[in-house]
Amino acid sequence: MPRISHNRLSARAVVSLKDGVFADGGNLWLTVKGHTRAWSVRYTSPVTGKAREMGIGSTRTISLADARERAAVARKMIADGLDPIEVRLRTH
Protein backbone atom coordinates (compact mmCIF):
# COMPACT_ATOMS: atom_id res chain seq x y z
CA MET A 1 0.00 0.00 0.00
CA PRO A 2 1.48 3.40 -0.96
CA ARG A 3 2.30 5.85 1.75
CA ILE A 4 0.17 8.99 1.53
CA SER A 5 2.28 12.11 1.73
CA HIS A 6 0.58 15.10 3.34
CA ASN A 7 1.74 18.71 3.50
CA ARG A 8 3.85 18.65 0.35
CA LEU A 9 3.47 22.38 -0.29
CA SER A 10 5.05 25.19 1.68
CA ALA A 11 3.71 28.72 2.10
CA ARG A 12 6.62 29.94 -0.03
CA ALA A 13 5.83 27.45 -2.82
CA VAL A 14 2.18 28.54 -2.88
CA VAL A 15 3.30 32.05 -3.81
CA SER A 16 6.01 31.11 -6.29
CA LEU A 17 4.58 28.17 -8.30
CA LYS A 18 3.96 28.58 -12.02
CA ASP A 19 0.77 27.56 -13.85
CA GLY A 20 -0.47 24.08 -13.07
CA VAL A 21 -2.32 21.95 -10.53
CA PHE A 22 -0.41 20.87 -7.43
CA ALA A 23 -1.29 18.33 -4.74
CA ASP A 24 -0.62 19.09 -1.08
CA GLY A 25 -1.89 15.68 0.01
CA GLY A 26 -5.02 14.75 1.90
CA ASN A 27 -7.25 15.60 -1.09
CA LEU A 28 -6.10 19.25 -1.07
CA TRP A 29 -5.12 20.77 -4.44
CA LEU A 30 -3.82 24.15 -5.54
CA THR A 31 -4.66 25.42 -9.03
CA VAL A 32 -2.45 28.19 -10.42
CA LYS A 33 -3.42 30.15 -13.56
CA GLY A 34 -1.40 33.32 -14.09
CA HIS A 35 -1.76 35.40 -10.94
CA THR A 36 -4.80 33.42 -9.77
CA ARG A 37 -4.35 30.74 -7.12
CA ALA A 38 -7.25 28.70 -5.74
CA TRP A 39 -7.68 25.82 -3.29
CA SER A 40 -9.93 22.83 -3.90
CA VAL A 41 -10.67 19.43 -2.42
CA ARG A 42 -11.00 16.47 -4.79
CA TYR A 43 -12.81 13.34 -3.66
CA THR A 44 -15.20 10.59 -4.64
CA SER A 45 -18.70 11.24 -3.34
CA PRO A 46 -19.77 8.58 -0.85
CA VAL A 47 -23.37 9.24 -1.92
CA THR A 48 -23.11 8.99 -5.72
CA GLY A 49 -19.69 7.38 -6.22
CA LYS A 50 -18.75 10.15 -8.67
CA ALA A 51 -15.57 12.23 -8.67
CA ARG A 52 -16.18 15.71 -7.24
CA GLU A 53 -14.16 18.86 -6.74
CA MET A 54 -15.15 21.42 -4.12
CA GLY A 55 -13.64 24.89 -4.24
CA ILE A 56 -12.35 26.21 -0.93
CA GLY A 57 -11.29 29.69 -2.02
CA SER A 58 -8.49 31.90 -3.19
CA THR A 59 -5.05 31.94 -1.61
CA ARG A 60 -5.63 35.67 -1.07
CA THR A 61 -8.30 34.89 1.53
CA ILE A 62 -7.50 31.30 2.60
CA SER A 63 -4.03 30.52 3.96
CA LEU A 64 -2.33 27.18 3.46
CA ALA A 65 -3.02 26.26 7.09
CA ASP A 66 -6.71 27.18 6.75
CA ALA A 67 -6.99 25.21 3.49
CA ARG A 68 -5.52 22.14 5.19
CA GLU A 69 -7.99 22.51 8.05
CA ARG A 70 -10.95 22.81 5.66
CA ALA A 71 -9.72 19.77 3.71
CA ALA A 72 -9.55 17.83 7.00
CA VAL A 73 -13.16 18.79 7.77
CA ALA A 74 -14.20 17.61 4.28
CA ARG A 75 -12.34 14.30 4.75
CA LYS A 76 -14.18 13.77 8.05
CA MET A 77 -17.54 14.34 6.32
CA ILE A 78 -16.59 11.86 3.58
CA ALA A 79 -15.56 9.29 6.19
CA ASP A 80 -18.97 9.80 7.83
CA GLY A 81 -20.70 9.06 4.50
CA LEU A 82 -21.60 12.68 3.69
CA ASP A 83 -20.87 14.61 0.51
CA PRO A 84 -19.29 17.96 1.57
CA ILE A 85 -20.75 19.82 -1.43
CA GLU A 86 -24.26 18.64 -0.60
CA VAL A 87 -23.78 19.58 3.07
CA ARG A 88 -22.60 23.06 2.05
CA LEU A 89 -25.56 23.51 -0.31
CA ARG A 90 -28.02 22.57 2.45
CA THR A 91 -26.50 24.97 4.98
CA HIS A 92 -26.16 28.04 2.73
Side-chain angles (χ1 to χ4, degrees):
M1 178 183 262
R3 183 169 179 231
I4 299 172
S5 176
H6 290 282
N7 303 339
R8 289 187 233 168
L9 298 175
S10 66
R12 177 177 230 160
V14 169
V15 175
S16 62
L17 288 169
K18 303 294 182 201
D19 288 6
V21 181
F22 306 92
D24 182 55
N27 301 37
L28 181 62
W29 292 80
L30 173 67
T31 302
V32 179
K33 291 181 185 173
H35 296 291
T36 305
R37 288 162 165 55
W39 298 112
S40 63
V41 174
R42 293 181 180 177
Y43 63 96
T44 301
S45 172
V47 177
T48 64
K50 294 183 179 181
R52 309 263 341 236
E53 184 170 3
M54 178 177 73
I56 294 178
S58 168
T59 59
R60 293 181 185 199
T61 56
I62 307 294
S63 69
L64 175 58
D66 289 340
R68 286 176 176 161
E69 186 176 314
R70 291 178 186 210
V73 169
R75 284 193 308 273
K76 172 90 170 78
M77 285 184 205
I78 294 164
D80 291 342
L82 301 171
D83 187 323
I85 293 175
E86 297 301 324
V87 170
R88 184 165 64 178
L89 290 174
R90 281 187 261 141
T91 59
H92 286 98

